[in-house]
Amino acid sequence: MKGIVLAGGSGSRLYPLTLTTSKQLLPIYDKPMIYYPLSVLMLAGIRDILIISTPSAIPAMAALLGDGAQFGLNLTYAEQDEPRGIADAFVVGADHVAGGPSALILGDNLFHGAGFPEVLRTARATLDGCVLFGYPVKDPQRYGIAELDQDGRVVSLEEKPLRPRSDNAITGLYFYDADVVDIAKNIRPSARGELEITDVNRAYLAQGRARLIELGRGFTWLDAGTHQSLLDASQYVQIMEHRQGVRVACLEEIALRLGYIDVEACYGRGIEMKNSTYGQYVMEIAQALA
């Protein structure tokens, strides 16, 4: 399975913070925002990842992440010169996906919860069509919403409904089979001129091949696309890390635990950042797992 991180857009909801930098390079507490979606793909067992961003942002992202070898990944980059909708990721990334299954995650989404790696790997192993991930929200009018029947099957998908049929918001994480590129290329732009991911999901629903996994109690999903939600995400990570003594979305630790890199490589990464508490943590993890 290939991975895509969609990290484009102007980040206008975060102005003036994003007037000179990409939203995905802003910090969520102790690490760049893009670490969080990358960690989700890694936990799903995905190592070949395309990062889609704006022409102006890619050099800085490449300077931060390189080719991904330090995390045991293969990272490549592609340009999206202007926002054309989430589904455009599969037009831009068609060659990367190359006729196989793929996972798409939005660059400003944070997921966290006990057992999440197992949820991801099970979803990947049982993929037949598309798998969506739902999260209960208090204001469903702001989201794409999935309605389920009594057996948990998806029966409708609506984008920002005035009268929501459920509180199950579709999060910014999607698993698709090999048909997604053809589906994305054949949908029409919406009234706002974008290729809507909801239309892709509806195409799978019409085929009876759309499934939703509900992320309920014990899971956290945050979209760090506004000033308030960026602060909320930072505070959440700060609280979790200080109370539990473990780092959220520490790419070096994930890579080491999954066997993508060895202890020496992990410790070396920590040495490079030894003056920060993050670097010291990476060194401690390497020593603990040696």
Side-chain angles (χ1 to χ4, degrees), residues 10-19 23 26-28 33 108 142 222-235:
S10 63
S12 59
R13 291 184 299 165
L14 284 166
Y15 281 175
L17 292 176
T18 51
L19 284 172
K23 170 175 63 176
L26 295 176
I28 292 183
M33 185 185 297
D108 60 1
R142 296 179 52 230
L222 296 168
D223 169 356
T226 67
H227 297 107
Q228 185 61 51
S229 60
L230 181 65
L231 177 62
D232 291 343
S234 292
Q235 290 177 330

Side-chain angles (χ1 to χ4, degrees), residues 18-63:
T18 51
L19 284 172
T20 60
T21 191
S22 166
K23 170 175 63 176
Q24 286 79 18
L25 295 176
L26 295 176
I28 292 183
Y29 185 50
D30 58 349
K31 60 193 75 71
M33 185 185 297
I34 199 168
Y35 272 41
Y36 296 87
L38 281 173
S39 73
V40 171
L41 297 181
M42 291 174 70
L43 291 172
I46 299 170
R47 303 176 68 175
D48 196 349
I49 300 169
L50 176 69
I51 297 174
I52 298 175
S53 193
T54 62
S56 61
I58 285 177
M61 289 189 183

Side-chain angles (χ1 to χ4, degrees), residues 209-231:
R209 298 196 300 135
R211 182 164 65 95
L212 183 125
I213 293 175
E214 296 181 83
L215 301 176
R217 185 182 296 272
F219 288 93
T220 296
W221 168 58
L222 296 168
D223 169 356
T226 67
H227 297 107
Q228 185 61 51
S229 60
L230 181 65
L231 177 62

Side-chain angles (χ1 to χ4, degrees), residues 17-278:
L17 292 176
T18 51
L19 284 172
T20 60
T21 191
S22 166
K23 170 175 63 176
Q24 286 79 18
L25 295 176
L26 295 176
I28 292 183
Y29 185 50
D30 58 349
K31 60 193 75 71
M33 185 185 297
I34 199 168
Y35 272 41
Y36 296 87
L38 281 173
S39 73
V40 171
L41 297 181
M42 291 174 70
L43 291 172
I46 299 170
R47 303 176 68 175
D48 196 349
I49 300 169
L50 176 69
I51 297 174
I52 298 175
S53 193
T54 62
S56 61
I58 285 177
M61 289 189 183
L64 172 68
L65 300 168
D67 64 2
Q70 70 272 35
F71 308 118
L73 305 176
N74 175 36
L75 299 181
T76 51
Y77 303 84
E79 295 181 357
Q80 187 186 53
D81 55 0
E82 62 182 35
R84 289 188 292 269
I86 296 174
D88 185 57
F90 291 106
V91 178
V92 175
D95 290 340
H96 171 72
V97 173
S102 57
L104 169 66
I105 187 167
L106 304 187
D108 60 1
N109 273 217
L110 181 155
F111 294 84
H112 186 246
F116 193 42
E118 290 75 19
V119 170
L120 294 170
R121 290 173 182 265
T122 299
R124 176 180 175 179
T126 58
L127 177 64
D128 178 19
C130 82
V131 175
L132 309 174
F133 296 84
Y135 191 82
V137 295
K138 293 188 296 184
D139 47 356
Q141 297 88 350
R142 296 179 52 230
Y143 302 92
I145 296 296
E147 178 190 9
L148 309 179
D149 66 14
Q150 61 184 7
D151 297 317
R153 292 187 294 259
V154 181
V155 294
S156 74
L157 296 167
E158 295 181 282
E159 185 65 29
K160 297 183 175 69
L162 293 176
R163 295 178 178 83
R165 298 177 182 177
S166 83
D167 63 355
N168 262 316
I170 306 297
T171 68
L173 175 63
Y174 317 85
F175 284 12
Y176 296 106
D177 68 6
D179 294 337
V180 68
V181 171
D182 288 338
I183 292 173
K185 286 182 176 179
N186 285 289
I187 63 174
R188 296 180 178 180
S190 65
R192 59 178 183 165
E194 296 190 358
L195 299 180
E196 305 289 353
I197 200 67
T198 298
D199 290 336
V200 171
N201 297 335
R202 283 175 177 154
Y204 278 102
L205 179 60
Q207 299 171 8
R209 298 196 300 135
R211 182 164 65 95
L212 183 125
I213 293 175
E214 296 181 83
L215 301 176
R217 185 182 296 272
F219 288 93
T220 296
W221 168 58
L222 296 168
D223 169 356
T226 67
H227 297 107
Q228 185 61 51
S229 60
L230 181 65
L231 177 62
D232 291 343
S234 292
Q235 290 177 330
Y236 173 81
V237 172
Q238 190 266 347
I239 290 169
M240 294 302 296
E241 292 186 352
H242 279 247
R243 286 185 177 177
Q244 298 183 353
V246 296
R247 299 271 162 168
V248 178
C250 177
L251 301 188
E252 292 84 1
E253 179 180 8
I254 294 170
L256 179 59
R257 291 185 182 277
L258 292 177
Y260 295 173
I261 61 174
D262 59 22
V263 168
E264 183 179 358
C266 184
Y267 190 80
R269 283 283 296 171
I271 288 290
E272 293 174 9
M273 300 176 284
K274 63 182 180 181
N275 290 332
S276 70
T277 56
Y278 182 90

